[in-house]
Amino acid sequence: MALAQFIVNGLLVGALFAAVAVGFALIWGVVDIINLAHGEMVMLGGYTAYWALALTTGTARGGPLVVLATLPLVVGVLFAVGYLLQRVLVKRVMGTDVFLTLLVTFGASIAIQQLALRAWTANPRSIQVELADPSLVLGGVVVPKMKLVAFLGAFVLTGALWAFLQRSRTGRAIRAVSQNPEAAALVGIDVEHTRATTFGLSSAIAGAVGVFVATILNVQPQMGLIYTLKSFVIVVFGGVGSIPGALLGGLLLGSVEETVAGVISSQWTLAVSFSLLIVLLIVKPNGLFGQEASE
Amino acid sequence: MATTPEYTAAEDPILSMDSVVSGYGNTTVLHDVSIAVEEGEIACLIGPNGSGKSTLMKSIYGFADIKSGTVTLDGEDITGRSPQENLKNGMSYVLQDASVFPNMTVHENMLMGGYVFKDDDRAADRAAQLYDEFPVLGDIKEQKAGTLSGGQRRLLELARALMVDPDIMMLDEPSIGLEPKFIDDVFERIRQLNDLGTTMLLVEQNAEKGLSVADRGFVLASGEIKFTGTGTELLNDEAVGRLYLGG
């Protein structure tokens, strides 16, 4: 029974990491940038929700619906942050040395962290969700309700992104830019705008995940790094540019880590997940869904 | 313009470049280039590798940086306009390199050709029309473009450029990399489209083949126009033959 509990915990957390990684994968696949400031979008999303609640209601607490009501604001704010990050900063190093692009996004991540530290101090903050009965028990497995909401939210966000890419006009433009930027410009797509939009969408999803993180854990200025690192592992795991791969990779990584933490010790989680990554890269160098490199 | 005054020049051009200096960033490729193409004709640009033929087309379409001079389409100054605007004004362009979207189907590629319409139904209608004209494409419309043969891919690129129902088309080396039987096929298509009224500006590596289908020709070398005349005039010109036709 303990094992089932660990796996359920892992899936619940893994879905959040997966949703963050999906955006990371999208930027990597479409804009060809490894965005080391991606985790900071989770942090900014969490703070946006926290302050929206704290400033309007006086306290960072509320019922589940009140908390979920901050999502549209967070999505809008983080879309703008991501859009501008590409349009103002990352655009300048596009097509240069990969080292330079890493340096620029790493620099952006540090700058955002330090600004957050100045503005909001290092104190962890969290959003208190008021629920009469915070947990469900299903067949002996405890499922915290807010984690379940976060889990479903992560799926909804990922599914919405997937549908948007497949069905909308902008989604088609994003896929076109990812497959052949020159041809995209040829048929009249504004490539720079499309790349910035991709950054915006990916950041918006990461920010929305930040809202859930603020309710089930907490937010603090330096929380971003772990999300960037895990996104990297998940994306390499699932195959660069593959949304289903990132989703599956996130769920898998979450359950492996929780199981390792529960059965052995939490000190072993990173060692085990990175070892698993190395083994996978030897067996399947393109990742689980690697053959479909740009969908 | 270093041209050949005794040869015929366009009198009432639909597309022209006047003293254009252009390139990419700080690099200048074209130096003071002037050309003029009349409505309904096939114009062919020839010249050695690296002479700036592709840059000339890119300068017209909005892919290169124009430093001075003007580009005129149908009496309107279109210097520095974006590809979106040029497509809407009825100009389309087929690149030399493979420019399909490999993970999209043939049909999705066709719809992307009508992206500037902002109207999916209109794009679908136009694609259906083009499948009638190019039944080969209709047969493979659910196939991924990345799996097509060289000839099929070139046909797709050509048909996709027709999605906007262009008045003027620019084709960069339509015959490059194709088997001889497909080359004749492509030139046959170009003639057919031209008969229907589309003005054509093409770049052709095979200079003789290009000039033989062309009403008008331009010889570009080191970023400058060296000769201008009708296709026949240039084909029969002794200097052009010696320097550029390998004859």
Side-chain angles (χ1 to χ4, degrees):
Chain A
M1 228 53 244
L3 188 63
Q5 180 70 59
F6 295 143
I7 290 174
V8 167
N9 290 350
L11 291 176
L12 291 175
V13 179
L16 291 179
F17 283 118
V20 177
V22 161
F24 187 81
L26 190 67
I27 292 176
W28 194 343
V30 175
V31 194
D32 200 19
I33 289 281
I34 296 175
N35 179 19
L36 296 181
H38 193 60
E40 272 59 44
M41 303 301 144
V42 181
M43 181 262 287
L44 289 179
Y47 272 113
T48 305
Y50 175 87
W51 286 112
L53 284 175
L55 295 175
T56 51
T57 66
T59 56
R61 59 170 62 237
L65 289 179
V66 175
V67 173
L68 290 178
T70 63
L71 280 173
L73 173 76
V74 170
V75 163
V77 168
L78 268 293
F79 180 89
V81 170
Y83 188 94
L84 291 173
L85 181 66
Q86 155 70 15
R87 204 81 210 226
V88 176
L89 193 65
V90 179
K91 183 188 148 191
R92 296 171 198 277
V93 292
M94 286 287 301
T96 60
D97 198 346
V98 64
F99 182 70
L100 203 56
T101 66
L102 287 174
L103 205 61
V104 162
T105 57
F106 185 59
S109 83
I110 293 181
I112 296 170
Q113 268 177 44
Q114 292 303 314
L115 287 171
L117 200 59
R118 292 273 161 212
W120 304 315
T121 77
N123 293 340
R125 296 169 200 264
S126 61
I127 296 172
Q128 304 301 321
V129 182
E130 288 158 346
L131 280 170
D133 181 12
S135 290
L136 297 171
V137 180
L138 297 170
V141 177
V142 182
V143 181
K145 279 183 187 163
M146 217 35 226
K147 279 195 177 177
L148 188 62
V149 170
F151 175 82
L152 295 174
F155 268 93
V156 169
L157 289 169
T158 311
L161 178 70
W162 172 259
F164 182 78
L165 288 178
Q166 296 302 319
R167 308 228 179 279
S168 74
R169 211 175 112 76
T170 307
R172 282 206 300 270
I174 288 174
R175 287 189 294 139
V177 169
S178 109
Q179 293 176 27
N180 191 336
E182 205 185 9
L186 183 77
V187 299
I189 293 167
D190 183 339
V191 174
E192 284 308 327
H193 170 72
T194 305
R195 285 178 170 152
T197 303
T198 306
F199 251 81
L201 287 172
S202 303
S203 304
I205 290 182
V209 170
V211 178
F212 295 123
V213 173
T215 63
I216 57 182
L217 293 162
N218 57 52
V219 286
Q220 46 95 6
Q222 276 150 342
M223 68 188 275
L225 180 66
I226 193 69
Y227 288 89
T228 305
L229 271 181
K230 288 202 178 172
S231 292
F232 189 82
V233 174
I234 289 168
V235 169
V236 174
F237 216 85
V240 174
S242 164
I243 290 180
L247 198 55
L248 197 66
L251 295 175
L252 203 61
L253 189 77
S255 13
V256 168
E257 288 195 347
E258 286 292 322
T259 307
V260 168
V263 174
I264 311 169
S265 139
S266 61
Q267 290 175 334
W268 281 86
T269 53
L270 281 180
V272 170
S273 48
F274 276 91
S275 306
L276 210 63
L277 181 70
I278 292 168
V279 171
L280 182 91
L281 285 180
I282 294 168
V283 181
K284 219 167 173 306
N286 289 330
L288 291 174
F289 289 77
Q291 67 279 17
E292 215 179 16
S294 47
E295 273 291 322
Chain B
M1 158 165 59
T3 179
T4 35
E6 70 270 25
Y7 289 156
T8 321
E11 284 173 354
D12 181 21
I14 183 168
L15 175 70
S16 63
M17 295 174 90
D18 287 301
S19 312
V20 167
V21 178
S22 67
Y24 310 98
N26 291 327
T27 318
T28 302
V29 181
L30 298 185
H31 309 279
D32 195 22
V33 163
S34 299
I35 64 164
V37 178
E38 262 182 57
E39 189 163 4
E41 67 183 8
I42 301 181
C44 180
L45 191 63
I46 64 166
N49 278 335
S51 58
K53 301 188 296 290
S54 297
T55 304
L56 189 152
M57 291 193 156
K58 288 181 177 169
S59 300
I60 295 173
Y61 198 65
F63 275 171
D65 304 320
I66 297 183
K67 288 150 208 216
S68 67
T70 52
V71 182
T72 312
L73 177 69
D74 215 359
E76 220 181 319
D77 186 348
I78 61 158
T79 316
R81 274 202 188 156
S82 68
Q84 290 98 299
E85 292 169 289
N86 287 325
L87 282 162
K88 283 184 199 155
N89 284 330
M91 187 201 294
S92 66
Y93 181 22
V94 179
L95 288 172
Q96 179 183 339
D97 327 299
S99 61
V100 297
F101 301 110
N103 290 335
M104 292 189 190
T105 63
V106 167
H107 185 60
E108 286 176 303
N109 266 274
M110 291 292 283
L111 295 182
M112 289 314 295
Y115 183 79
V116 290
F117 290 160
K118 301 188 176 172
D119 180 347
D120 288 351
D121 295 336
R122 185 176 160 194
D125 288 348
R126 177 68 183 150
Q129 265 177 28
L130 288 167
Y131 295 141
D132 288 340
E133 280 180 50
F134 302 85
V136 188
L137 285 181
D139 294 343
I140 54 170
K141 70 178 185 179
E142 295 309 326
Q143 214 170 308
K144 288 261 167 92
T147 65
L148 302 184
S149 71
Q152 289 171 326
R153 194 154 44 201
R154 187 53 47 85
L155 200 60
L156 172 57
E157 286 165 352
L158 204 62
R160 192 182 62 188
L162 290 169
M163 282 293 290
V164 294
D165 200 2
D167 300 320
I168 182 158
M169 267 182 109
M170 298 195 289
L171 308 175
D172 197 343
E173 307 229 3
S175 72
I176 201 166
L178 294 182
E179 289 172 49
K181 56 173 179 173
F182 288 125
I183 295 181
D184 290 340
D185 213 39
V186 165
F187 276 102
E188 187 48 42
R189 289 286 180 195
I190 292 171
R191 265 202 218 92
Q192 282 173 11
L193 289 168
N194 180 246
D195 286 344
L196 295 171
T198 313
T199 307
M200 299 273 175
L201 174 59
L202 36 130
V203 161
E204 191 45 61
Q205 188 65 44
N206 184 339
E208 261 187 279
K209 181 105 204 166
L211 288 178
S212 65
V213 300
D215 300 300
R216 189 177 305 283
F218 308 100
V219 181
L220 190 70
S222 313
E224 292 173 9
I225 296 284
K226 302 290 188 192
F227 299 90
T228 303
T230 65
T232 325
E233 284 167 346
L234 292 184
L235 271 179
N236 296 326
D237 187 284
E238 194 245 333
V240 173
R242 183 162 35 83
L243 292 169
Y244 303 108
L245 302 178

